[in-house]
């Protein structure tokens, strides 16, 4: 038989295992919050079971051994021989973290087990061995002189690739196997003709004679879990002896007996070394939509080539129609392709229940987490990068925003604070809101801090919004006294920078005593923007459509010079600075007189400026090429693209230009 | 029950063509064998040739066991024209050799 290179499936195994762990975590947290749904226990068990199966298949013995013990513990919970309590959930959560670490190490080709995982495994094993359980389980710790096994296949057993023949073969290697009885089960059809040879309808009563450790026996049947009904009991005579006699430390006995009490700090940090550039799972409906679109494109193409073959001017109208259809098809195809990269934000949200739980314990606060809009879809790249800033904001909200229960009570609020994560679409943006009903930003403290850091002068008048903006300034650390949560070298300025790198913005609104709302706005995708093509001298610049408020031609006297040398103009009851793009980017031969050019009013993060360009060319979708990758980072430019005539146009980074403008105003 | 089975074996001489079990007698090939056996069932006496069997799995043995059961149910008989070591070993391991009344392994 040909051997299969299993390593090609490793990546899938890692991904599925991570998903399984996520599902386990969610279920554990649901149990933790008091749910009694038995299905949750099954979910946890199933996840552990498939990780074990996969690990064993691929020869990751450490991981298989670890999950095996965890699974044994879960089996006791599943069969209601062990009650679920906070301690158990805590242990299982730590095991989960440990498994994540093992997965990451394995995916990097390092040994999966370390001191932490070994200690935790021992802790689990000890719990399993020391379980207050019926005699059968207690006896299982010691090797018996034999086992009575009742093994009834479920109909689908053969479909899983399992074969009782192999199982029996393996049992034979452990001890002397005796088939007491083989029988046909109830599930077999009465009519031979109606039999599906792929379904299994057999059962056996077996005796396995010899000093076989229960663990070895379990290892044989591991594969069949869920595919058969299995009852294993020590042979009668041996059983009583095993329970009554003082336990003899035999080498084959369960490892828990000799293992010392495990260290508490067994948890292993995970998530640090996620492998990038992975694969993406796509719903079949999205692929079908693509194929549909492709079909239409082919029809259009053949129609056009038909026109092209015998073209005369009378067909001009048809040609136009065909081209319009081609454009429509292309756009739809583009949309469908982009949709493939879209994933629900729920995968990021899912990590928060755990984080909130841990922080609650650590800080002694009570937090209710509400999640809304988990199904909102986001570009995969954006999704991967938005996690860290969000974690930071959530930590901050709980650490600094929400008050201690007694403070909340004193303020007439419920002792449990509410933290809400919400995601939804707004135009071509995704809006993610992180809101808490805590104390709100302390303007006095922020101000004092900013003055201390020299960010503002003590006398400068500041509006509430301007004070709130200060926390995003580099060098402003929010933590009055550094807890171990904050002070990780990541300030709000880093959050803002990370979000900006994604082409998004982050802002805060806060009401003293009622809480704060952090709002992150993100573009749907990083790869394509709708832009307005403009000319400046001989160059072309593309201004992202989403940031454009209005374009207008100003008379020469509408622009006034300010004391600092800047220019402003009146736009809807406010004065906006003018940024001459030819000046900012150093373009020669550009229009310099305001009245001959066009002013494009753009907005970024609530700030508006007018950009002076020569002319507007038209609207175009631009596929963004990174300048950084091909050349170097240029301030005020977010990337480049190729326009319809084949020349290169630069895409204006509105945020960067607005910052340039404000700096100009301040100067 | 055993007595009844033995009695049936006595009158099994009327067998026609034997159904030959293929060398690879495993799940993937069983659909064809199943069809053949279903066709042979109404005759009441089925004769099997297992001498060519090199590979066999639980599904195949189960098929034979259920054939046996169906034959018993309608008062038919199962006879063997030959068996192989592979077939006998597998049936022995699963404790099905007795039900199937397999003969000693020998070429047909």
């Amino acid at each position: 038989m040909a051997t299969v290179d299993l390593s090609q499936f490793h990546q899938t195994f890692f991904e599925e295992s991570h998903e399984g762990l996520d599902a386990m975590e969610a279920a554990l947290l649901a149990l933790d919050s008091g749910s009694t749904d038995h299905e949750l226990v099954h979910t946890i068990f199933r996840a552990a079971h498939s990780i074990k199966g996969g690990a064993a298949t691929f020869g990751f013995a450490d991981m298989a051994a670890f999950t095996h013990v965890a699974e044994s513990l879960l089996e006791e919970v599943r069969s209601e021989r062990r009650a679920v309590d906070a301690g158990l959930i805590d242990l299982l959560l730590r095991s989960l973290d440990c498994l994540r670490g093992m997965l990451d190490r394995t995916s990097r080709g390092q040994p999966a087990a370390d001191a932490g995982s070994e200690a935790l495994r021992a802790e689990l094993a000890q719990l399993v061995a020391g379980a207050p359980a019926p005699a059968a389980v207690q006896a299982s710790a010691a090797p018996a002189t034999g086992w009575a096994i009742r093994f009834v296949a479920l109909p689908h057993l053969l479909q899983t690739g399992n074969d009782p023949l192999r199982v029996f073969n393996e049992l034979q290697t452990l001890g002397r196997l005796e088939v007491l009885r083989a029988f046909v089960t109830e599930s077999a059809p009465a009519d031979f003709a109606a039999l599906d040879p792929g379904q299994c309808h057999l059962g056996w009563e077996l005796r396995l004679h010899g000093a076989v450790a229960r663990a070895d026996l379990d290892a044989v049947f591991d594969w069949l879990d869920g595919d058969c009904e299995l009852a294993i009991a020590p042979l009668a005579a041996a059983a009583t002896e095993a329970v009554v006699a003082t336990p003899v430390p035999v080498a084959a006995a369960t490892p828990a007996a000799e293992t010392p009490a495990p260290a508490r700090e067994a948890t292993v940090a995970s998530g640090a070394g996620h492998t990038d550039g992975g694969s993406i799972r796509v719903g079949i409906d999205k692929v079908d939509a693509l194929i549909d679109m492709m079909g239409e494109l082919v029809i259009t193409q053949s129609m056009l080539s038909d026109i092209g073959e015998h073209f005369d001017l009378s067909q001009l109208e048809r040609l136009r129609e065909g081209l319009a259809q081609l454009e429509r098809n292309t756009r739809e195809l583009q949309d469908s392709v982009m949709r493939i990269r879209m994933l629900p934000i729920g995968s990021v949200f899912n990590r928060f229940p755990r984080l909130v739980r841990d922080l609650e314990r650590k800080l002694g606060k009570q937090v209710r987490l509400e999640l809304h809009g988990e199904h909102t879809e986001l570009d995969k790249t954006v999704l991967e990068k938005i996690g860290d800033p969000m974690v930071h904001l959530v930590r901050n909200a709980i650490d600094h925003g929400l008050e201690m229960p007694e403070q909340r009570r004193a303020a007439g609020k419920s002792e449990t604070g509410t933290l809400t994560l919400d995601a939804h679409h707004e135009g071509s943006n995704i809006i993610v809101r992180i809101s808490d009903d805590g104390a709100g930003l302390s303007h006095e403290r922020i101000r004092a801090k900013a003055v201390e850091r020299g960010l503002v002068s003590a006398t400068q008048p500041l509006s509430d919004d301007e004070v709130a903006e200060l926390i995003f300034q580099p060098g402003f650390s929010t933590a009055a006294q550094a807890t171990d949560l904050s002070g990780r070298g990541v300030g709000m300025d880093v959050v803002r920078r990370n979000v900006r790198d994604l082409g998004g913005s982050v802002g805060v609104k806060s009401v003293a005593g009622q809480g704060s709302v952090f709002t992150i706005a993100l573009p749907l995708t990083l790869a394509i923007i709708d832009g307005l093509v403009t000319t400046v001298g001989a160059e072309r610049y593309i201004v992202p459509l989403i940031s454009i408020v209005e374009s207008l031609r100003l008379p020469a006297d509408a622009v006034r010079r300010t004391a600092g040398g800047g220019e402003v103009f009146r736009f809807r009851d406010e004065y906006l600075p003018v940024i001459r793009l030819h000046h900012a980017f150093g373009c020669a031969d550009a229009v310099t007189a305001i009245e001959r050019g066009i002013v494009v009013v753009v907005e970024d993060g609530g700030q508006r400026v007018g950009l002076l360009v020569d002319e507007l060319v038209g609207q175009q979708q631009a596929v963004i090429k990174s300048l950084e990758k091909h050349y170097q980072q240029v301030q005020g430019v977010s990337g480049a693209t190729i326009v319809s005539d084949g020349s290169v146009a630069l895409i204006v980074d509105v945020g960067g230009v607005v910052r340039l403008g404000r700096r100009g105003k301040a100067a | 029950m055993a007595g009844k089975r033995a009695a049936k074996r006595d009158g099994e001489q009327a067998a026609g063509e034997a159904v030959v079990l293929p060398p690879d007698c495993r799940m993937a090939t069983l659909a064809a064998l199943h069809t053949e056996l279903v066709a042979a069932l109404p005759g009441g006496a089925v004769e099997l040739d297992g001498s060519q069997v090199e590979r066999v799995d639980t599904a195949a043995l189960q098929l034979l066991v259920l054939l046996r059961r169906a034959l018993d149910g309608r008062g038919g008989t199962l006879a063997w024209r030959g068996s192989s070591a592979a077939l006998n070993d597998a049936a022995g391991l699963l404790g099905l050799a007795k039900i199937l009344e397999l003969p000693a392994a020998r070429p047909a």
Side-chain angles (χ1 to χ4, degrees), chain A residues 231-290:
Chain A
I232 301 178
L235 283 178
T240 43
E241 271 170 36
V243 175
V244 175
T246 43
V248 187
V250 182
T254 166
E258 296 110 80
T259 324
R264 290 300 291 176
E265 60 273 43
T267 323
V268 178
S270 71
H274 264 294
T275 39
D276 267 358
S279 58
I280 191 167
R281 286 202 196 184
V282 181
I284 198 81
D285 54 323
K286 290 181 177 175
V287 176
D288 285 346
L290 258 187

Side-chain angles (χ1 to χ4, degrees), chain A residues 1 158-159 163-165 168-169 172 177 179 182 184-185 188-190 192-202 204, chain B residues 26-27 30-31 34 37-38 41 55-59 61-63 65-67 69-70 89-96 99:
Chain A
M1 208 160 72
L158 298 171
Q159 311 290 329
D163 192 321
L165 256 181
F168 284 46
N169 250 325
Q172 263 191 330
L177 183 69
V179 181
V184 175
T185 63
F192 182 68
L195 172 75
D196 173 356
Q199 301 283 312
C200 195
H201 310 287
L202 296 176
W204 292 267
Chain B
R26 291 185 294 177
M27 200 156 73
L30 293 183
H34 182 226
L37 293 175
V38 169
L41 197 57
R55 286 166 167 279
V56 63
D57 64 3
T58 305
L61 288 163
Q62 171 184 262
L63 185 67
V65 168
L66 291 174
L67 171 72
R69 192 175 76 147
D89 286 353
L93 188 57
L94 289 180
L96 299 173
I99 306 178

Side-chain angles (χ1 to χ4, degrees), chain B residues 3-108:
Chain B
K4 183 183 163 199
R5 206 177 280 162
K8 292 298 171 196
R9 270 180 67 81
D10 294 337
E12 76 187 12
Q13 310 310 336
E17 279 290 284
V19 176
V20 181
L21 305 184
D24 183 352
C25 193
R26 291 185 294 177
M27 200 156 73
T29 64
L30 293 183
L33 180 61
H34 182 226
T35 315
E36 240 183 299
L37 293 175
V38 169
L41 197 57
V46 177
E47 194 176 8
L48 295 175
D49 182 355
S51 57
Q52 293 174 34
V53 173
E54 288 163 16
R55 286 166 167 279
V56 63
D57 64 3
T58 305
L61 288 163
Q62 171 184 262
L63 185 67
L64 300 179
V65 168
L66 291 174
L67 171 72
R68 163 96 244 180
R69 192 175 76 147
L71 283 168
D72 282 351
R74 59 174 63 216
T77 57
L78 176 67
W80 288 93
R81 192 169 280 184
S83 183
S84 71
L87 185 57
N88 281 6
D89 286 353
L93 188 57
L94 289 180
L96 299 173
K98 241 191 241 156
I99 306 178
L100 292 176
E101 296 173 345
L102 276 165
R106 59 175 166 78

Side-chain angles (χ1 to χ4, degrees), chain A residues 584-615:
Chain A
F585 294 136
C587 306
D589 305 325
V591 173
T592 52
I594 293 281
E595 70 276 11
R596 286 199 291 121
I598 303 266
V599 172
V600 182
V601 179
V602 293
E603 183 178 316
D604 177 77
Q607 301 281 327
R608 289 177 175 181
V609 299
L611 305 178
L612 177 67
V613 301
D614 294 6
E615 267 181 69

